[in-house]
Amino acid sequence: MVVTGGGAAPVPLSPGTRIGIFTRLFAIQASWNYELLMGIGIGFCVEPALRSLPGGPDGPRYHEALARQCRYFNAHPYLASVAVGALARTELDGVPGDRIERFRTALCGPLGSVGDRLVWAGWLPVCSLLALAVYGLGGGPLRVVATFLLAYNAGHLALRIWGLQAGWKHGMRVATALSSRVFRDGPAYLARAGALLAGIALPVALARVIGPGQGRGPLAGVLVATAVGSITLVRMHGRAEGWRIALGVLAAFVLYATVLRHG
Amino acid sequence: MTLLPIALLGAVAGLDVVSFPQAMISRPIVAATVGGAFAGNAGAGLLVGAAVELIALETLPVGASRYPEWGSASVVAGALAAGAPPGSPGPVPMTILAALATAWVGGWSMIALRKWNAVRARAHLADLERGSATTVNALQLWGLTADLARGAALTIISYSALRPVVDAAAVHWRVDARTSRALVVGAAAAVAVAAVWKVFHWAPLSRMLFGAGLIGGVALVVWS
């Protein structure tokens, strides 16, 4: 592949190298830690491209570039593909090391916040709610699991593929790719779709978990408990996590149902 | 012998949470269902997975934040639900409790692993600064292997410890099925609604759309 734009000299990148980088993206957080965060993973993903530097994998430029790419880095794991593409391009374009360092630092914030809003707070809950709706509407195990995995990973893979290509294509001017409407307006569209889906999915999924033949009495009680519980949680403004409270409530209930009531 | 396949599944689901490939096979609605299928009853796993998924909507795996590890925990819960004695209302609340407790411990184990990864990275900092590809590959491989082992160990310990507890709870359960299910669902729903509010309420029209969806969803329940 020969690309233009983003740097002074177009750089060829073989299909094998591109596939190598792409497959490594799935393990970008394999050595995630509290000091370098995903820095080593970035180096791991960029490494196949660095072999094309003058001198090859034994040359000083290769080692210098790999060392630079393994330093501290943080981003959303899927959108890190943008950074990997762009950083590989800058290294092969022969951009000076100090400029790459500054570029690398500048990428962290946007790639983290955009990815968190788009994926973790958008696409993931939307796909979860879609699967819960399918479950609530009577879907069997295979249909529910397939719905979730196919929907979620269509977006997941598309984002990784796009990110790598956009990063490689734009190099140091990759900010233009991140200003696309998908990132600007996508979270709001997903939030609206998620709100609509949540309204449909929650009652049907809850009714199915309660089970048939239990009458509508439990559902009415559950709706009241849900309203009171959720309003309380929202008003706590994150001072307590709901899953911890649920853990405490269930533990107390299990104790009551097995020990206290038994006695 | 179901422990070995369940342990392998728990390891893979635990690995998927962060390290590889983050395809969200670790989400409760997937992992618990497959865990249930491995133990012979995918439907039981799906029921528990749906309830835990509602609770898991609250925790977003954002960056360096600390969150429960739902992957291995959901496999354990699905397998426990699938193998529970039939007829008792106890296993559903018990297996959801098992999922939450295991996810909590799993979250701590992920933090420990990240600290351990940092110790290993620090020990090899000079090699990393020399640009050694061998060191990079070794650290990545170490991270993957350790995370896989973490998920397997968590699954084995949790499943082995909780299997007799769930069985005993099924025998000694003294609350009727209606109340048991209603309490579980109420707890899960309260967390889920609060989570949906937290994640989506900022967007224009989202409250109206939620209300419209709720009317449609309740109508579906009433008419079905």
Side-chain angles (χ1 to χ4, degrees):
Chain A
M1 180 176 74
V2 177
V3 293
T4 56
V11 182
L13 201 61
S14 71
T17 304
R18 277 188 292 159
I19 291 168
I21 294 173
F22 181 71
T23 52
R24 285 178 181 222
L25 284 173
F26 293 94
I28 198 163
Q29 297 200 119
S31 55
W32 202 101
N33 62 76
Y34 288 116
E35 292 189 11
L36 300 171
L37 279 69
M38 66 167 65
I40 299 170
I42 292 284
F44 176 71
C45 294
V46 172
E47 192 273 335
L50 302 182
R51 294 176 206 163
S52 303
L53 283 167
D58 296 321
R61 281 191 60 187
Y62 169 90
H63 292 291
E64 188 187 313
L66 186 57
R68 183 164 44 240
Q69 297 305 339
C70 288
R71 289 173 196 151
Y72 173 95
F73 192 85
N74 196 29
H76 185 276
Y78 300 169
L79 276 180
S81 58
V82 175
V84 168
L87 290 167
R89 179 69 193 273
T90 54
E91 293 288 1
L92 296 194
D93 279 353
V95 175
D98 58 338
R99 277 191 70 196
I100 296 177
E101 292 266 21
R102 286 198 298 274
F103 174 58
R104 217 169 164 273
T105 305
L107 278 175
C108 289
L111 292 180
S113 60
V114 169
D116 287 347
R117 285 185 67 200
L118 190 70
V119 182
W120 295 154
W123 190 238
L124 177 59
V126 163
C127 292
S128 285
L129 289 164
L130 179 65
L132 285 167
V134 172
Y135 168 74
L137 294 171
L142 188 61
R143 184 175 293 181
V144 172
V145 168
T147 299
F148 175 81
L149 289 179
L150 290 175
Y152 182 80
N153 285 301
H156 162 209
L157 292 176
L159 195 55
R160 288 213 206 244
I161 292 167
W162 172 87
L164 187 58
Q165 287 180 337
W168 178 256
K169 180 181 175 190
H170 295 287
M172 291 194 75
R173 291 200 292 268
V174 77
T176 54
L178 290 175
S179 63
S180 96
R181 279 197 69 188
V182 173
F183 299 114
R184 205 174 55 241
D185 301 334
Y189 285 118
L190 285 173
R192 288 185 204 120
L196 180 67
L197 261 175
I200 298 167
L202 293 178
V204 295
L206 297 178
R208 188 166 174 201
V209 173
I210 289 174
Q214 305 290 345
R216 289 190 187 137
L219 191 58
V222 164
L223 289 175
V224 172
T226 300
V228 173
S230 57
I231 289 169
T232 306
L233 279 172
V234 168
R235 290 181 72 87
M236 289 169 89
H237 294 293
R239 285 193 296 274
E241 291 174 287
W243 73 271
R244 288 180 195 270
I245 294 172
L247 177 65
V249 168
L250 281 175
F253 179 59
V254 166
L255 193 67
Y256 168 77
T258 54
V259 178
L260 299 179
R261 199 175 164 96
H262 196 255
Chain B
M1 184 64 185
T2 55
L3 187 57
L4 183 62
I6 289 166
L8 287 173
L9 182 64
V12 170
L15 187 72
D16 179 69
V17 175
V18 171
S19 299
F20 177 86
Q22 284 202 302
M24 293 301 133
I25 54 174
S26 50
R27 287 304 290 185
I29 203 158
V30 178
T33 307
V34 181
F38 271 41
N41 188 346
L46 176 60
L47 191 149
V48 171
V52 179
E53 183 72 40
L54 288 165
I55 297 170
L57 280 171
E58 187 201 31
T59 53
L60 305 173
V62 174
S65 63
R66 297 178 177 191
Y67 42 83
E69 197 265 78
W70 296 114
S72 309
S74 300
V75 170
V76 169
L80 286 173
S88 168
V92 172
M94 270 304 301
T95 49
I96 293 170
L97 179 63
L100 294 176
T102 307
W104 190 9
V105 176
W108 281 107
S109 71
M110 274 180 19
I111 292 166
L113 178 63
R114 288 168 168 190
K115 288 179 179 169
W116 203 358
N117 280 343
V119 169
R120 287 190 60 88
R122 206 181 306 129
H124 292 88
L125 213 51
D127 293 328
L128 288 173
E129 279 303 314
R130 276 199 296 272
S132 163
T134 309
T135 302
V136 171
N137 292 338
L139 287 170
Q140 288 283 103
L141 191 61
W142 155 262
L144 287 171
T145 310
D147 202 15
L148 198 69
R150 181 197 62 77
L154 180 66
T155 306
I156 290 169
I157 292 168
S158 179
Y159 183 83
S160 303
L162 293 171
R163 174 81 276 162
V165 178
V166 171
D167 292 345
V171 174
H172 296 290
W173 198 264
R174 292 292 180 270
V175 176
D176 64 89
R178 268 170 64 131
T179 311
S180 300
R181 289 283 183 98
L183 189 125
V184 165
V185 169
V191 178
V193 172
V196 164
W197 170 268
K198 186 172 81 176
V199 175
F200 298 137
H201 83 279
W202 61 272
L205 301 175
S206 61
R207 292 171 210 194
M208 195 188 75
L209 287 165
F210 178 73
L214 199 59
I215 291 167
V218 171
L220 281 169
V221 172
V222 171
W223 288 333
S224 63

